[in-house]
Amino acid sequence: MKVAIMGAGLSGLACAITLEKNGISPTIYEKGSRVGDRFVNGEVLLDILNRPIDDCIADLSNRYGIYLKPTSTIQSMELFSKNEKAKIEGHLGFTNIRGRNQDSFESQLERQTKSTIHFNSEYTFEQLRTEYTHVVMATGDGAYASEHKNFKEDLSVSIKGATVEGTFDPNRVMAWIDYDVSPYGYCYLIPYSEKETNVSLAIPDLPENADVNISDLWDRFYSNIQSQLKQELPITDRFQITRYPMGICLSPRIGNTFYVGNCLGTMMPFMGFGQYPSILSGIYAAYDLCGIDNYEELMKPVRQSYENSLVLRRSLEKLSNEGLDRMIRSLQGYLGEKLFQTKSIDPVKLASYVLRPVLNMTKE
Ligand SMILES: Cc1cc2nc3c(=O)[nH]c(=O)nc-3n(C[C@H](O)[C@H](O)[C@H](O)COP(=O)(O)OP(=O)(O)OC[C@H]3O[C@@H](n4cnc5c(N)ncnc54)[C@H](O)[C@@H]3O)c2cc1C
């Protein structure tokens, strides 16, 4: 068996590590000149979005032998709508760095891989398919899956973000969901350290947002957070992503081609989270390649999570700022604590079951 992995990101590297543990040495082809060859940004692993798992980092190490060191634990999350605020406390998850940084998750995974990585790769899927018996598509988007007529695109998002300097609590993340600032989208602050943080704004590319200028929105958000945090926040780095497609493959595997990570559709439409399911998809594809388990079966819960998350996204698009105020108000206090801290409750699943009939969406 000769396995090629296209893409040295979270899912591709997790796949390689798992294959190696089971005696298969894949060859990895990476478009960039190094692992994490992209902008730096802060991301989170939130326990509440990965139920029934209540600690993704421990789960990856205990069950799969994949070791990741996050930047920090999240002990406090502050959620703001236009007029309301909810503060949730407890062990809520982890923050981590991505991209061109020696501590980024992809850099950490690279250090656990022995497989050869060919950088600056211009290999196409067709070339890899000719030379290898199996190809794992881990390119971080649905472009190839779309070409293969295997991708259902549900939405796209545009994101503008920056690294800023200031004074921050590394254990506290903040999110704003105010449609005057980010119409149908959201903004967030994820610290890298006590001195640096990532601040980003994301909006879906809905027809309602056709005339919206993301740079104007960003300027307003940037000015708002400086007032709210009572600090000047000099920008040291910036990034912008335009029309990033979110969707899911119709088949996780076609013949001897496996689609993993965002190539498969592990980025969840509700708020764009996808790190943990991306890593899992790489591990599960490797299990199938090693004859340990069946990839399509293993991915069923992830596919279901995607569909549940899509219901929540569609519901958010129907809310006004008044509705968002009510939602945030209801998260303050007992309900918020219960939702975030009861390990047996999967709020995304629960909410999607309640909302699906309201939105006239059928269950997949
Ligand atoms: C701005 C932003 C913020 C996010 N925030 C969060 C968050 O807070 N929490 C969370 O859980 N998720 C978050 N996500 C989603 C998460 O980052 C992704 O779901 C995850 O990185 C997907 O992993 P992957 O392996 O599919 O892709 P990646 O990790 O992106 O890796 C893809 C790799 O493939 C390479 N590649 C691309 N094309 C080719 C080619 N043709 N040939 C060879 N190599 C190629 C790329 O260079 C890259 O190295 C965020 C995403 C974005 C964009």
Side-chain angles (χ1 to χ4, degrees):
M1 179 184 281
K2 266 184 86 189
V3 181
I5 299 175
M6 194 175 194
L10 298 190
S11 57
L13 292 169
C15 183
I17 295 166
T18 312
L19 287 172
E20 288 167 24
K21 284 183 197 295
N22 290 285
I24 296 176
S25 299
T27 308
I28 306 172
Y29 292 85
E30 165 57 48
K31 181 175 80 170
S33 61
R34 52 177 279 195
V35 165
D37 191 8
R38 56 164 243 194
F39 58 90
V40 175
N41 69 312
E43 300 195 1
V44 293
L45 288 167
L46 287 183
D47 296 343
I48 190 174
L49 296 178
N50 294 302
R51 299 284 191 236
I53 304 304
D54 68 353
D55 183 330
C56 300
I57 297 292
D59 185 61
L60 288 173
S61 106
N62 294 346
R63 278 212 281 178
Y64 307 110
I66 289 192
Y67 307 107
L68 289 170
K69 200 166 150 197
T71 312
S72 229
T73 55
I74 304 173
Q75 302 295 346
S76 164
M77 189 183 332
E78 290 180 18
L79 304 169
F80 301 88
S81 58
K82 188 173 165 66
N83 302 299
E84 297 287 342
K85 172 185 169 182
K87 184 172 181 181
I88 322 270
E89 295 190 298
H91 175 69
L92 306 173
F94 301 92
T95 58
N96 65 280
I97 297 190
R98 296 294 311 276
R100 228 178 298 110
N101 182 295
Q102 61 163 357
D103 295 322
S104 71
F105 268 5
E106 47 271 66
S107 301
Q108 294 187 39
L109 290 176
E110 183 188 18
R111 292 195 281 274
Q112 294 167 54
T113 317
K114 291 183 214 76
S115 308
T116 305
I117 307 179
H118 295 287
F119 291 106
N120 300 311
S121 166
E122 291 183 1
Y123 266 71
T124 61
F125 165 72
E126 286 69 26
Q127 287 169 313
L128 293 179
R129 198 171 56 157
T130 311
E131 292 181 27
Y132 290 84
T133 58
H134 296 79
V135 180
V136 178
M137 300 299 292
T139 52
D141 60 40
Y144 266 107
S146 289
E147 252 180 51
H148 301 166
K149 308 272 179 275
N150 186 27
F151 200 68
K152 166 181 81 95
E153 184 178 323
D154 289 308
L155 71 148
S156 71
V157 286
S158 294
I159 310 171
K160 195 169 167 77
T163 297
V164 301
E165 290 177 344
T167 305
F168 312 100
D169 174 354
N171 303 114
R172 179 177 75 156
V173 297
M174 301 166 86
W176 294 262
I177 177 160
D178 172 350
Y179 288 172
D180 288 349
V181 182
S182 51
Y184 307 102
Y186 47 90
C187 306
Y188 54 85
L189 178 153
I190 303 175
Y192 308 131
S193 69
E194 287 173 2
K195 293 185 178 152
E196 264 192 327
T197 194
N198 172 222
V199 280
S200 295
L201 174 145
I203 49 165
D205 303 304
L206 297 171
E208 294 86 331
N209 279 344
D211 297 329
V212 163
N213 181 325
I214 194 166
S215 295
D216 293 345
L217 294 176
W218 160 263
D219 289 345
R220 186 164 170 197
F221 165 57
Y222 178 52
S223 159
N224 287 356
I225 42 170
Q226 292 185 94
S227 311
Q228 189 173 341
L229 299 182
K230 299 188 178 62
Q231 296 184 49
E232 278 191 19
L233 302 171
I235 295 177
T236 55
D237 195 14
R238 298 169 189 267
F239 71 88
Q240 183 161 345
I241 301 172
T242 306
R243 297 193 174 275
Y244 185 89
M246 269 191 232
I248 192 150
C249 278
L250 308 174
S251 306
R253 173 183 182 170
I254 299 180
N256 286 335
T257 304
F258 291 76
Y259 300 85
V260 300
N262 288 358
C263 231
L264 167 77
T266 45
M267 191 152 157
M268 301 292 155
F270 175 45
M271 291 272 176
F273 297 100
Q275 298 191 100
Y276 179 69
S278 294
I279 295 171
L280 271 193
S281 68
I283 297 169
Y284 289 166
Y287 279 2
D288 195 318
L289 285 160
C290 300
I292 296 171
D293 216 320
N294 178 286
Y295 183 50
E296 294 188 77
E297 283 302 315
L298 289 169
M299 287 313 291
K300 278 185 179 164
V302 174
R303 292 180 68 81
Q304 189 56 60
S305 298
Y306 175 92
E307 296 300 341
N308 293 343
S309 185
L310 183 60
V311 175
L312 262 59
R313 162 100 318 261
R314 296 295 181 231
S315 312
L316 271 190
E317 288 162 7
K318 298 216 177 305
L319 288 180
S320 61
N321 266 343
E322 289 70 36
L324 294 172
D325 277 341
R326 280 195 295 277
M327 187 177 87
I328 295 298
R329 198 181 316 130
S330 69
L331 287 177
Q332 178 63 41
Y334 180 76
L335 179 66
E337 264 169 42
K338 271 270 169 257
L339 276 182
F340 277 82
Q341 280 166 22
T342 311
K343 313 290 180 211
S344 54
I345 300 178
D346 178 346
V348 178
K349 185 170 168 188
L350 201 68
S352 79
Y353 280 33
V354 174
L355 293 166
R356 219 179 280 270
V358 181
L359 294 169
N360 267 335
M361 288 173 85
T362 50
K363 191 171 172 302
E364 288 283 309

